[in-house]
Amino acid sequence: MNIKVFLSYHRPFTLFKSDILTPIHVGREIALSVNKDIEENLDLKWLLENMIGDNTGDNISSLNRKFCELTAQYWAWKNIKQMKDIDFIGFCHYRRHFLLNSDSSDFNNDKENYVAGCRLFHQMDDNYLEETGFTDDNIRQIMKNCDVLAFKPLDLKKDLSDIMPKNLTPRLNYDWYEVLDVRDFDKAIEILKEKYPDFSLAADEYINGHIMYGYNIFIMRKDIFMDYSKWLFDILFETEKHINWGQKNIDAYRVLANIAEQLY
């Protein structure tokens, strides 16, 4: 099987590169426009030397402040024909990867090193990939038997109880979004129901629940990825038109990536 898992980088970090693991610099178009002299910007120089960028072919690299890691997904979706015989395509982040050899009991027994459904590693040494099971051989073996690889979902009642607002209702997926601007989320769900009414019931059930799949990380069979990306960006681009961007600070500008987590 030919599998590509793109790891989104926006700054230098431990570099992971293999037949499957493919680092990609997100927001490269912005970085190049802001940093005119590459030689004086060592961070950008490192990114240019060590990985591909999301600013070739059909791309939305210049919209990275709004879409964050999704600019890599859009690039792959629109330029996948240039990639030879891809069977599966996936995405992770430069410092957030799948933990493929963990015992589920670890989440209950090791509170110090597990936060919000993630295991914390204080350093990434030469044994990191083996320790996490995030290796080419392991990924190939797992994908022989599945169409989509997702991580274990977050139970917002337990995993994020420390940072959730105190005045919670049973609708935890909705309450979680009120930490941001819930009007943007409402608009996205409204657009989802207008464009894809078959998803209405599932959307309501999800919003009123407390089990969440976030982070925008996955590995999918190619045809599923293509369908998912078409669906996702159709909703996000329409949502973008209705957001009051002038009232947002730099963190709130990430709203479309946050909404994508919920749509996923």
Side-chain angles (χ1 to χ4, degrees):
M1 292 183 295
N2 191 356
I3 304 171
K4 289 295 180 187
V5 177
F6 291 95
L7 309 179
S8 299
Y9 286 73
H10 66 91
R11 65 181 181 88
F13 203 73
T14 305
L15 183 66
F16 297 106
K17 185 183 293 187
S18 67
D19 288 344
I20 290 179
L21 304 181
T22 306
I24 181 170
H25 178 198
V26 294
R28 177 168 286 185
E29 190 69 22
I30 300 173
L32 290 172
S33 65
V34 173
N35 303 278
K36 301 294 185 183
D37 190 346
I38 296 174
E39 292 302 322
E40 292 183 4
N41 189 322
L42 298 181
D43 286 358
L44 180 55
K45 188 173 186 290
W46 185 88
L47 291 164
L48 291 172
E49 290 176 347
N50 285 288
M51 62 194 68
I52 60 174
D54 64 349
N55 65 334
T56 61
D58 187 349
N59 72 85
I60 55 171
S61 180
S62 63
L63 300 179
N64 179 257
R65 289 192 177 93
K66 294 179 179 179
F67 286 87
C68 303
E69 64 274 3
L70 297 179
T71 59
Q73 182 178 335
Y74 182 93
W75 176 87
W77 171 45
K78 289 297 186 179
N79 297 282
I80 198 169
K81 291 181 180 179
Q82 301 175 19
M83 303 176 220
K84 186 178 180 181
D85 301 326
I86 294 290
D87 300 303
F88 288 86
I89 189 165
F91 294 87
C92 289
H93 304 262
Y94 68 102
R95 62 188 179 119
R96 183 176 289 138
H97 311 124
F98 281 110
L99 189 60
L100 298 178
N101 61 0
S102 66
D103 186 326
S104 59
S105 63
D106 288 347
F107 288 92
N108 298 319
N109 299 330
D110 191 355
K111 300 296 185 183
E112 181 178 349
N113 291 311
Y114 281 89
V115 177
C118 297
R119 180 180 173 187
L120 301 182
F121 287 80
H122 300 290
Q123 63 179 3
M124 292 179 174
D125 56 24
D126 294 339
N127 298 318
Y128 172 78
L129 293 180
E130 292 294 334
E131 186 175 355
T132 59
F134 195 52
T135 63
D136 285 12
D137 289 344
N138 212 15
I139 292 171
R140 287 193 182 97
Q141 187 63 35
I142 290 171
M143 299 315 297
K144 284 181 180 179
N145 301 307
C146 66
D147 299 315
V148 176
L149 179 67
F151 68 91
K152 292 181 180 179
L154 296 174
D155 184 334
L156 298 181
K157 286 184 177 179
K158 298 187 299 183
D159 297 325
L160 297 185
S161 58
D162 293 342
I163 63 174
M164 290 287 283
K166 300 305 179 184
N167 55 337
L168 295 179
T169 73
R171 309 177 307 163
L172 290 195
N173 273 313
Y174 192 83
D175 288 331
W176 173 87
Y177 208 88
E178 289 184 344
V179 177
L180 303 169
D181 190 335
V182 75
R183 293 172 297 180
D184 300 331
F185 183 46
D186 286 339
K187 176 55 68 173
I189 298 302
E190 177 185 328
I191 291 168
L192 164 68
K193 291 181 176 182
E194 289 175 355
K195 286 179 170 287
Y196 304 95
D198 288 350
F199 282 83
S200 296
L201 179 60
D204 289 339
E205 290 179 349
Y206 178 81
I207 290 169
N208 289 296
H210 58 92
I211 301 300
M212 174 188 171
Y213 291 83
Y215 302 141
N216 291 322
I217 67 173
F218 56 81
I219 303 176
M220 293 181 180
R221 205 177 66 212
K222 177 183 175 181
D223 60 311
I224 298 176
F225 168 74
M226 297 297 284
D227 286 343
Y228 168 61
S229 296
K230 181 180 179 181
W231 175 88
L232 176 69
F233 286 106
D234 187 28
I235 298 168
L236 293 181
F237 284 135
E238 186 62 32
T239 303
E240 181 191 16
K241 300 174 184 177
H242 298 274
I243 293 175
N244 189 340
W245 296 101
Q247 294 184 350
K248 297 191 181 300
N249 60 31
I250 191 169
D251 290 328
Y253 239 71
R254 301 167 54 89
V255 59
L256 292 174
N258 295 137
I259 290 174
E261 292 182 80
Q262 303 290 350
L263 292 176
Y264 169 69

